[in-house]
Amino acid sequence: MTTDPDIDIVEGHLMIHSLTFGDVLRQNRRSHPRQTAVVSDTGERLTYPELDDRVNRLADVFRASGVSGGDRVVWLGQNSHRLLECVLAAAKCGAVVCPVNWQTEADELAFVIDDAEPGIVFWQSSELERKVAAVRERRDGGARWIQHDGAGADSYEGLLAGASAHDPEGYVDPNEPLLLMYTGAFDGRPNGALLSQTGIMLHGLVVANQTGINEEYVYLNCGPMYRMGVLWNTLATLHLGGTNVFVPRADPELICAAVERYRCMGALIMEPTLSAVIAFNEHAAYDLSSLRSRPGNAGWSAMTTPDPHHRPNSSSQYGQTEVTGLITTAAAGVAGLHGRPSPVAQLRLFGEDGREVAPGEIGEIAVRGPQIMTGYHRRPELNGRRQHDGWHWTNDLGRREADGSITFLGPRGRLIKSGIENIYPAEVEACLRRHPAVADAGVIGVPAADAGGQTLKAIVVVKPGMTTTPDELVRHGLEHLAGYKVPREVRFAPALPMKNAGIDYEALDREHGGGGYPGSRLFTTMTGI
Amino acid sequence: MTTDPDIDIVEGHLMIHSLTFGDVLRQNRRSHPRQTAVVSDTGERLTYPELDDRVNRLADVFRASGVSGGDRVVWLGQNSHRLLECVLAAAKCGAVVCPVNWQTEADELAFVIDDAEPGIVFWQSSELERKVAAVRERRDGGARWIQHDGAGADSYEGLLAGASAHDPEGYVDPNEPLLLMYTGAFDGRPNGALLSQTGIMLHGLVVANQTGINEEYVYLNCGPMYRMGVLWNTLATLHLGGTNVFVPRADPELICAAVERYRCMGALIMEPTLSAVIAFNEHAAYDLSSLRSRPGNAGWSAMTTPDPHHRPNSSSQYGQTEVTGLITTAAAGVAGLHGRPSPVAQLRLFGEDGREVAPGEIGEIAVRGPQIMTGYHRRPELNGRRQHDGWHWTNDLGRREADGSITFLGPRGRLIKSGIENIYPAEVEACLRRHPAVADAGVIGVPAADAGGQTLKAIVVVKPGMTTTPDELVRHGLEHLAGYKVPREVRFAPALPMKNAGIDYEALDREHGGGGYPGSRLFTTMTGI
């Protein structure tokens, strides 16, 4: 009994145990034949069989363009169902999709396109024509540029119309990358994390379990799809047979209209968009009651429905793009601020000496599991620093509490030495930021021979309209930290110097007399999902 | 920064993306340090760190006994926390655990032990001493026999006390087998399905999502742990950080006492045990309200709590040991009797000609995905028949309904030919069994030249105290089946001849004039999880 003569025996044997997003789509066209998979930003509905046919045609375009296993495809556009189609076509071909941040400047976009070396760049004319022209001026190498929102034979829709909807169903290794997500310019340039199908799928199943994504779920893609924080929901919704609704960008009117019309249940809406949506809808012109929300914003709660999956007294979560998103899950009633490690990951904390630290002590967060990136694209040296000895090193500091839960403290950054004690500024800053009057805080070490190395100095930014005093902040520190971790000196400043979305410690040192740090590892990082 | 000098670079790189049940246990000792992992049948509680220490010691015993990657360990005993420890130690070593059905006869046990070729047999004295002696008389080859419920230096506890609790944390491939589960003697002997760690884990995550297994879950291991239907819950409960409670066997008093004392929330309790428990507790001597139950048995519902995860009008599910358990999940309000394919599997239906059949048509169920067995142990020829062309062939018949849901009809068995029509007895029998007066039914083909091949004859067993007539059953058939599938002749019998837990069609043919079947594939199978 044969199903496809193209499948040879080795490939057939591998396929028996494999599962890719291509397979998920093949199954969903059968399991959910009438379900709406996609609502485009123009209101066009695609069922799962219709979506799968379009994805097959796009995969045919990929092949005709010479894009195959491991090759990159860049998406230089806003949110669109066509970006989801690109990801699914790549899943069927073994290609890798890189959705770039269209909001960044042309120079950085050109750098990313140069670094990704794509076989195809899908670009958008609407709202982005001038930026795309500026990028192409700098970088138009070997890639095929296809306009996704155009017409004509060479446009996305034109090419799909001329392609074959046949699905050859070849074997694709689910442990190979599907997404290339540029992130964290902590060494002065963005680096692209390669994320595997298996990792995205497992991460999505855990998220789906926690947030109730199932075949009845309707997800609004209004947050930026060049961030995993949106894409993991897009793909989990697809995986579980739900409906993805698309609007090109986080616009209050587009969001309100789509939520009301399609009864969307989930969406990533961050500030300042959240406040803009609340203000836009203050007279309840739109019915947003299908959206599930978590407590914290009275105005938002008033127009939405409490999320039945949210448990009171629930912790936050921790993650980074390099681990496909979240590596801890929210837990209720735990000591740690960031929940417990995901059931599909291992998480340990290691000290500067490479040994695992005891609960209550601070260490670098190291993780393991299928959702860890396969590596940064074209960064062998950096990969060696981030992945060795059986662990992925997050560059982030954390603490395991006595109940086994996790508190993320901040990027590892620098270490301050006071006597025999190691002090991580990130921990002290995190404590200061929890004071109600504090908007931000940076902590530096000041050379002090009498203290056996350095003493701590905090530079604090006070929230508008609030007041506090150095004494009050020292008392706050003594309440929550060991004595040696409490800054002896507190200075107020209108703002902190920033660099690469983190504190510019070198500038802070120069302005406030910092110095005397122990030798190594004086680099700053950031965590952005 | 090094964590363990034993880990070489290649192994370390593999470990970054790996997740085994050994890793889960390593994480749970950190994430759930105070949680009770296990309550033994003598009421001994083990926290996750205590369980992990014992598992490390047992893994040390495995190594000292020469058991390593791919080697088998047989469990010849009743339910015990020590069986879970064996599975976890095997997960850390790459070994394979075979829990045999202690209720079968010594001859079959000896056959299984001979076939499994174990390095260690763990055996139980209590209740099983004579049976074990009878087995060893037949088969005592190269294995080390260790008594798990004994005392002394050579017993399970004695060996653990003398072993090291150090965890070397070597790399174990999660796609290699962890369990060897003997099943379905459809070709005259039991065959052992090899099930991988990844498959068991993914299956368990889907089950946990559907049944609400989490760190607060307490699972009572009272059903037979030599069946996946129990073990997948045991391992999912461990995975999510819950508590496993053990009783040696399905005894009403043991079950009631354990549920009350440990507030168990889940348990597999089948007939006749279920009725025995209800009768035993009819005066509510024990509080069983912590147990979640699904509707269907008023007496049971009265002493338990409705399962909040059960959706009204929910379908059944379908699976087999060879796919680690369930391959469909329950769905509410669907046409198919057995839900929808699991999100981590693909399921298609193929006709006799090897082509996928259309919705509404009957075909053999073929499946793909990580939870498919890696193969039967030592059955190359059978593996070739069950796994080829990129699919695992279940030998079961099913139908995809128009809404994408699945109905499982029964083992493929034989095919009856009437004119140009193919008729699967399994489908007709499944229809007859849904009649309220029918206990069981077997359908055969009777040679009939005028019908262009065969006509259908049904042999029906009526439920005690019920009556029906051939005419009534034909009307019932015409209501639910195409006309050509309705038996022209109905005979009543006190029982059907059985063989290997399925209908003995050869005997049925002999007794009722069956014959004239089309050529091939005239073998019977069974589905038992």
Side-chain angles (χ1 to χ4, degrees):
Chain A
M1 189 174 289
T2 58
T3 57
D4 191 324
D6 299 345
I7 300 175
D8 76 12
I9 289 175
V10 173
E11 191 167 291
H13 196 74
L14 289 169
M15 288 174 87
I16 290 176
H17 297 102
S18 179
L19 186 70
T20 66
F21 279 102
D23 296 328
V24 162
L25 184 56
R26 290 175 183 118
Q27 188 60 44
N28 282 0
R29 79 173 293 153
R30 293 168 170 84
S31 294
H32 304 284
R34 301 161 178 166
Q35 170 77 302
T36 300
V38 153
V39 180
S40 79
D41 61 345
T42 56
E44 190 192 4
R45 283 172 188 272
L46 298 174
T47 63
Y48 272 101
E50 287 165 345
L51 176 64
D52 189 40
D53 282 344
R54 283 174 57 86
V55 166
N56 288 337
R57 289 172 185 274
L58 183 59
D60 195 37
V61 172
F62 280 16
R63 280 186 292 269
S65 309
V67 167
S68 61
D71 292 340
R72 274 81 51 208
V73 168
V74 163
W75 179 265
L76 177 45
Q78 295 172 318
N79 287 3
S80 167
H81 65 292
R82 296 192 191 102
L83 170 52
L84 175 58
E85 289 170 354
C86 279
V87 173
L88 295 168
K92 287 192 170 185
C93 297
V96 182
V97 175
C98 175
V100 297
N101 181 347
W102 54 271
Q103 306 204 58
T104 57
E105 295 311 303
D107 276 348
E108 188 171 326
L109 287 171
F111 169 82
V112 165
I113 289 173
D114 198 44
D115 194 61
E117 296 180 296
I120 303 177
V121 179
F122 289 99
W123 65 279
Q124 178 175 322
S125 170
S126 167
E127 300 190 37
L128 299 185
E129 185 149 34
R130 279 170 55 187
K131 187 175 277 183
V132 170
V135 172
R136 289 187 78 166
E137 216 168 82
R138 289 165 181 75
R139 165 75 201 174
D140 192 12
R144 179 176 188 183
W145 288 67
I146 298 174
Q147 187 185 341
H148 90 81
D149 60 345
D154 286 341
S155 72
Y156 186 103
E157 293 298 332
L159 290 167
L160 250 59
S164 162
H166 172 68
D167 185 351
E169 297 206 39
Y171 173 70
V172 169
D173 186 344
N175 299 311
E176 290 294 323
L178 173 63
L179 293 175
L180 173 60
M181 306 297 287
Y182 278 83
T183 182
F186 54 79
D187 61 350
R189 58 176 182 178
N191 299 297
L194 290 161
L195 307 177
S196 76
Q197 303 213 43
T198 296
I200 299 164
M201 205 176 277
L202 274 174
H203 179 277
L205 281 176
V206 172
V207 167
N209 194 347
Q210 289 237 324
T211 56
I213 295 176
N214 59 24
E215 65 193 74
E216 284 152 21
Y217 200 70
V218 181
Y219 183 67
L220 177 63
N221 290 265
C222 60
M225 290 179 72
Y226 52 79
R227 286 298 189 96
M228 279 311 296
V230 174
L231 264 183
W232 81 53
N233 288 297
T234 317
L235 289 168
T237 300
L238 174 109
H239 188 172
L240 279 304
T243 301
N244 274 292
V245 176
F246 294 84
V247 294
R249 56 191 152 65
D251 173 85
E253 185 164 8
L254 292 176
I255 290 172
C256 289
V259 168
E260 179 180 273
R261 180 153 181 201
Y262 305 113
R263 310 301 298 153
C264 302
M265 298 153 82
L268 183 70
I269 306 175
M270 312 272 282
E271 291 293 2
T273 306
L274 183 62
S275 293
V277 171
I278 296 169
F280 178 81
N281 201 44
E282 66 176 329
H283 303 301
Y286 289 95
D287 173 9
L288 308 186
S289 64
S290 59
L291 262 188
R292 300 169 179 170
S293 67
R294 304 198 163 188
N297 183 318
W300 189 230
S301 295
M303 26 183 111
T304 54
T305 299
D307 185 347
H309 293 83
H310 178 74
R311 295 164 71 189
N313 194 19
S314 215
S315 71
S316 186
Q317 295 163 287
Y318 160 75
Q320 58 179 208
T321 302
E322 289 84 344
V323 301
T324 308
L326 301 169
I327 204 86
T328 69
T329 58
V334 294
L337 297 178
H338 296 90
R340 287 195 201 275
S342 156
V344 296
Q346 285 192 83
L347 185 158
R348 293 194 197 163
L349 296 141
F350 293 96
E352 294 288 321
D353 60 358
R355 290 174 192 276
E356 189 173 3
V357 299
E361 292 179 13
I362 294 168
E364 181 175 350
I365 299 172
V367 290
R368 252 181 207 168
Q371 74 187 62
I372 310 304
M373 67 170 179
T374 64
Y376 293 114
H377 178 61
R378 290 179 43 176
R379 301 282 188 277
E381 194 273 332
L382 184 59
N383 286 334
R385 278 194 276 140
R386 298 298 295 270
Q387 301 196 332
H388 55 84
D389 298 294
W391 294 94
H392 169 83
W393 300 84
T394 61
N395 263 337
D396 285 329
L397 294 174
R399 185 176 57 223
R400 174 168 285 124
E401 312 297 352
D403 64 359
S405 59
I406 298 295
T407 298
F408 158 63
L409 295 163
R412 194 169 72 172
R414 51 174 63 183
L415 182 68
I416 297 173
K417 199 86 186 173
S418 176
I420 58 161
E421 302 292 358
N422 291 336
I423 302 162
Y424 294 104
E427 184 190 15
V428 182
E429 290 159 4
C431 171
L432 288 170
R433 283 189 205 108
R434 286 204 295 277
H435 187 283
V438 173
D440 203 356
V443 170
I444 59 173
V446 177
D450 65 325
Q454 298 171 287
T455 56
L456 269 68
K457 184 173 184 175
I459 295 86
V460 170
V461 181
V462 177
K463 283 184 186 162
M466 309 278 282
T467 55
T468 181
T469 63
D471 279 358
E472 187 181 315
L473 292 178
V474 169
R475 276 199 304 276
H476 170 80
L478 288 169
E479 264 175 49
H480 297 95
L481 295 168
Y484 67 89
K485 294 179 184 170
V486 179
R488 294 200 189 168
E489 209 181 340
V490 177
R491 287 273 179 276
F492 295 103
L496 297 178
M498 303 296 280
K499 190 167 122 186
N500 297 330
I503 296 171
D504 183 348
Y505 285 102
E506 286 72 23
L508 211 57
D509 280 342
R510 279 194 304 275
E511 289 168 32
H512 297 276
Y517 295 95
S520 60
R521 302 181 187 219
L522 301 185
F523 54 94
T524 309
T525 181
M526 66 160 290
T527 299
I529 298 167
Chain B
M1 190 176 290
T2 57
T3 56
D4 191 324
D6 299 345
I7 300 174
D8 75 14
I9 289 176
V10 174
E11 193 168 288
H13 196 74
L14 289 169
M15 288 173 88
I16 289 176
H17 297 103
S18 179
L19 185 71
T20 66
F21 278 102
D23 295 328
V24 162
L25 184 55
R26 291 175 182 118
Q27 188 60 44
N28 281 0
R29 79 172 293 153
R30 293 168 169 86
S31 294
H32 305 284
R34 302 160 178 167
Q35 170 78 302
T36 299
V38 153
V39 181
S40 79
D41 62 345
T42 56
E44 189 192 5
R45 284 173 187 269
L46 298 174
T47 63
Y48 273 99
E50 288 164 347
L51 176 64
D52 189 41
D53 281 345
R54 283 174 57 87
V55 167
N56 288 337
R57 290 172 184 275
L58 184 58
D60 195 36
V61 172
F62 280 17
R63 281 186 293 268
S65 308
V67 168
S68 60
D71 291 342
R72 274 81 52 209
V73 169
V74 163
W75 179 265
L76 178 43
Q78 296 171 317
N79 288 3
S80 167
H81 66 292
R82 296 191 190 102
L83 170 51
L84 175 58
E85 290 170 352
C86 279
V87 173
L88 295 169
K92 288 192 170 186
C93 298
V96 182
V97 175
C98 174
V100 296
N101 180 348
W102 55 270
Q103 305 204 61
T104 56
E105 293 313 303
D107 276 348
E108 187 172 328
L109 287 172
F111 167 81
V112 165
I113 289 173
D114 197 44
D115 193 61
E117 296 180 296
I120 303 176
V121 179
F122 289 98
W123 66 279
Q124 177 175 322
S125 170
S126 166
E127 301 191 36
L128 299 183
E129 184 148 32
R130 279 170 54 188
K131 187 175 278 184
V132 170
V135 172
R136 291 188 76 166
E137 217 166 79
R138 291 166 181 74
R139 165 76 201 173
D140 193 11
R144 180 177 187 183
W145 289 68
I146 298 174
Q147 187 185 342
H148 90 81
D149 60 345
D154 286 341
S155 72
Y156 185 103
E157 294 297 333
L159 290 167
L160 251 57
S164 163
H166 172 69
D167 185 351
E169 298 206 39
Y171 173 71
V172 169
D173 185 344
N175 299 311
E176 291 294 324
L178 173 64
L179 294 175
L180 174 60
M181 306 297 288
Y182 278 85
T183 182
F186 54 80
D187 61 350
R189 58 176 182 179
N191 299 297
L194 290 161
L195 307 177
S196 76
Q197 302 212 43
T198 296
I200 300 164
M201 204 175 280
L202 273 175
H203 179 277
L205 281 176
V206 172
V207 167
N209 193 348
Q210 288 237 323
T211 57
I213 297 176
N214 59 24
E215 66 193 75
E216 285 152 22
Y217 199 70
V218 182
Y219 184 67
L220 177 64
N221 290 266
C222 60
M225 290 179 71
Y226 52 79
R227 287 297 190 96
M228 278 311 296
V230 175
L231 264 185
W232 81 53
N233 287 298
T234 318
L235 288 168
T237 301
L238 174 110
H239 188 173
L240 279 303
T243 301
N244 274 293
V245 176
F246 295 84
V247 295
R249 54 191 153 64
D251 174 84
E253 185 164 8
L254 291 176
I255 289 172
C256 291
V259 169
E260 179 180 273
R261 182 155 180 198
Y262 306 113
R263 310 301 298 153
C264 302
M265 297 153 83
L268 182 70
I269 306 174
M270 312 272 281
E271 292 294 3
T273 307
L274 183 61
S275 294
V277 172
I278 295 169
F280 179 81
N281 201 43
E282 65 175 329
H283 303 301
Y286 289 95
D287 173 8
L288 308 185
S289 63
S290 59
L291 261 188
R292 300 168 179 171
S293 67
R294 304 198 162 188
N297 184 317
W300 189 230
S301 295
M303 27 182 110
T304 54
T305 298
D307 185 346
H309 294 83
H310 178 75
R311 294 164 73 189
N313 193 20
S314 215
S315 72
S316 187
Q317 295 162 287
Y318 159 74
Q320 60 179 208
T321 302
E322 289 85 343
V323 301
T324 309
L326 302 169
I327 204 89
T328 69
T329 59
V334 294
L337 298 178
H338 296 89
R340 288 195 200 275
S342 156
V344 296
Q346 285 192 82
L347 186 158
R348 293 194 197 164
L349 296 142
F350 293 96
E352 294 287 322
D353 60 359
R355 290 174 193 275
E356 189 173 6
V357 300
E361 291 179 14
I362 294 167
E364 180 175 352
I365 299 172
V367 290
R368 253 181 205 166
Q371 75 187 61
I372 309 306
M373 69 171 178
T374 64
Y376 292 115
H377 178 62
R378 288 179 45 175
R379 301 283 189 276
E381 193 273 331
L382 184 58
N383 286 335
R385 276 194 277 140
R386 297 298 293 270
Q387 301 196 329
H388 55 84
D389 297 294
W391 294 92
H392 169 83
W393 300 85
T394 62
N395 263 338
D396 285 329
L397 294 175
R399 184 176 57 222
R400 174 169 285 122
E401 312 297 353
D403 65 0
S405 60
I406 298 295
T407 297
F408 159 64
L409 293 164
R412 194 168 71 171
R414 51 173 64 183
L415 182 69
I416 297 173
K417 198 86 187 173
S418 175
I420 59 161
E421 303 291 357
N422 291 336
I423 302 161
Y424 294 103
E427 184 190 15
V428 183
E429 291 159 4
C431 171
L432 289 169
R433 284 189 205 107
R434 286 203 295 278
H435 185 281
V438 173
D440 203 356
V443 170
I444 59 173
V446 177
D450 65 326
Q454 297 171 287
T455 55
L456 269 68
K457 184 173 186 175
I459 296 87
V460 171
V461 181
V462 176
K463 284 185 186 163
M466 308 280 283
T467 55
T468 182
T469 63
D471 279 356
E472 186 179 317
L473 292 178
V474 168
R475 275 198 306 276
H476 170 79
L478 288 170
E479 264 175 49
H480 296 96
L481 294 169
Y484 67 88
K485 296 178 183 170
V486 179
R488 294 197 189 170
E489 209 181 340
V490 177
R491 287 275 179 275
F492 294 103
L496 297 178
M498 302 297 281
K499 191 167 119 186
N500 297 329
I503 296 171
D504 183 348
Y505 284 103
E506 287 71 23
L508 212 57
D509 281 342
R510 279 195 305 274
E511 289 169 32
H512 297 276
Y517 296 94
S520 61
R521 304 183 185 218
L522 301 185
F523 55 94
T524 309
T525 180
M526 66 161 290
T527 299
I529 299 167

